């Protein structure tokens, strides 16, 4: 949970490279030198920016269409059957020393870190000549690319609303409640819910006029704050698809993020620790999100 979940992939005929699985962005971020030799000639004056909101990290490069082969071993010799997609990836030119990699597979992110559904690698995979369904399941055991009747058994589903553009889905609403010594009345609000496996902490993005009282922004909450999350909000359904709680500072809770803070905005970035207690499903074809308690 601390280091994040990684998948190895070969892009544009290059050597295998490790990518952090990130449901909090859309698009593959890759050092240009990791791509094959056919993609090393470029005009740096055409570079554009790709920036992550939560971390503030910014990169400059270009969208390049390449074959993406996922799940290959680190010593891959180019043989065998692996899922493949032909999509645009963001080839990073600056910073020149960037050697990481992000597999952005979320939706409705907005901003510069959202390449759109056409650049989500898990929605455009083929395997052994067949197109996989446009959806996936992420768990601590790995990624199940493509959805089947059998693989979706046991999930509680949330129907998603179409975005105004008609090209993507909107994040569902969730309720967050905070209680503790910081306020006699506690704090409660409904916010868009972003399942974010790219981080190990949680951020509540709230309006300036509706911030948790007596808790400073942009810094970790003190120990002893009880936080509870329900998706959809508990007052909208008899049984939320996902509901969990934790106390800040208590390290014996698997689903608790490394820390909790608030910033100005609108939404909940969960952090990846949700996966300690629930498998996550995204079905882009049917417009739904789901959660399932994993088998013991």
């Amino acid at each position: 949970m601390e280091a994040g979940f990684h998948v190895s992939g070969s892009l544009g005929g290059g050597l295998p490279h490790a990518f952090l699985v990130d449901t909090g962005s859309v698009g593959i971020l890759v050092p240009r030198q990791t791509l094959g030799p056919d993609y090393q000639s470029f005009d740096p004056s055409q570079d554009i920016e790709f920036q992550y909101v939560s971390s503030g990290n910014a990169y400059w490069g270009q969208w390049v269409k390449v074959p993406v082969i996922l799940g290959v071993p680190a010593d891959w010799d180019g043989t065998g059957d692996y899922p493949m997609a032909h999509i645009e990836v963001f080839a990073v030119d600056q910073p020149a020393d960037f050697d990481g990699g992000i597999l952005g597979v979320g939706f409705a992110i907005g901003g510069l870190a959202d390449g759109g559904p056409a650049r989500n690698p898990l929605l455009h995979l083929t395997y052994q000549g067949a197109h996989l369904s446009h959806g996936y399941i992420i768990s601590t055991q790995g990624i199940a690319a493509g959805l089947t009747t059998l693989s979706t058994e046991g999930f509680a589903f949330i129907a998603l609303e179409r975005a105004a553009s008609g090209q993507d889905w909107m994040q569902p609403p969730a309720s967050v409640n905070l209680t503790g010594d910081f306020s006699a009345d506690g704090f409660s609000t409904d916010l868009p819910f972003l399942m974010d496996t790219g981080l190990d902490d949680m951020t509540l993005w709230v309006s300036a006029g509706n911030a948790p009282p007596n808790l400073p922004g942009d810094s970790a909450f003190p120990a002893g704050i009880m936080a509870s999350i329900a998706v959809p909000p508990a007052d909208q359904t008899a049984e939320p698809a996902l509901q969990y709680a934790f106390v800040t500072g208590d390290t014996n809770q698997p689903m608790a993020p490394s820390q909790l803070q608030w910033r100005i905005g609108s939404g909940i970035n969960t952090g990846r620790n949700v996966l300690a207690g629930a498998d996550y499903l995204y079905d882009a074809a049917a417009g739904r999100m789901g959660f399932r308690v994993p088998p013991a």
Side-chain angles (χ1 to χ4, degrees):
M1 291 294 174
E2 183 177 354
F5 303 96
H6 291 79
V7 169
S8 178
S10 170
L11 278 58
L15 295 175
H17 190 75
F19 295 89
L20 174 69
V21 178
D22 182 20
T23 55
S25 66
V26 188
I28 296 179
L29 191 80
V30 60
R32 183 180 290 272
Q33 63 268 23
T34 300
L35 303 179
D38 292 343
Y39 305 95
Q40 299 306 315
S41 178
F42 67 99
D43 179 359
S45 70
Q46 301 300 309
D47 281 2
I48 61 174
E49 186 180 8
F50 191 104
Q51 183 177 35
Y52 296 98
V53 173
S54 295
S55 66
N57 293 338
Y59 305 87
W60 284 263
Q62 299 169 19
W63 290 102
V64 182
K65 191 169 186 177
V66 301
V68 175
I69 304 175
L70 296 178
V72 299
D75 58 351
W76 187 47
D77 62 2
T79 63
D81 289 327
Y82 295 92
M84 173 187 291
H86 285 82
I87 60 170
E88 290 185 330
V89 304
F90 194 82
V92 175
D93 301 318
Q94 297 293 334
D97 60 351
F98 173 67
D99 63 357
I102 305 292
L103 190 79
V105 297
F107 69 97
I109 307 302
L112 298 179
D114 189 345
R119 292 166 173 161
N120 185 331
L122 296 188
L123 303 185
H124 302 280
L125 290 174
T126 60
Y127 180 63
Q128 295 183 339
H131 291 274
L132 302 182
S133 67
H134 294 175
Y136 58 81
I137 296 168
I138 300 179
S139 73
T140 56
Q141 304 304 306
I143 297 176
L147 301 173
T148 67
T149 301
L150 181 61
S151 69
T152 58
E153 287 184 354
F155 276 90
F157 291 105
I158 304 161
L160 303 175
E161 298 291 333
R162 271 289 186 190
S165 66
Q167 302 300 310
D168 206 354
W169 301 99
M170 297 174 60
Q171 297 163 7
S175 63
V176 56
N177 292 276
L178 305 176
T179 59
D181 295 338
F182 71 95
S183 170
D185 299 326
F187 172 82
S188 178
T189 190
D190 291 349
L191 296 168
F193 177 86
L194 172 58
M195 178 68 182
D196 191 349
T197 62
L199 305 168
D200 63 359
D201 58 353
M202 175 183 286
T203 299
L204 306 178
W205 299 86
V206 299
S207 65
N210 187 36
N214 304 322
L215 290 174
D218 295 299
S219 60
F221 287 4
I225 304 300
M226 167 73 80
S228 61
I229 309 292
V231 194
D235 59 355
Q236 293 188 14
T237 180
E239 189 69 28
L242 175 70
Q243 190 166 21
Y244 68 105
F246 58 89
V247 178
T248 57
D250 185 346
T251 59
N252 296 315
Q253 306 164 106
M255 293 182 72
S258 62
Q259 67 175 38
L260 173 61
Q261 63 175 317
W262 70 264
R263 300 185 193 178
I264 298 299
S266 179
I268 303 172
N269 281 61
T270 63
R272 69 179 66 95
N273 286 64
V274 175
L275 294 176
D279 300 338
Y280 168 67
L281 178 150
Y282 173 53
D283 186 344
R288 58 181 183 171
M289 173 191 291
F291 294 93
R292 175 180 64 190
V293 176

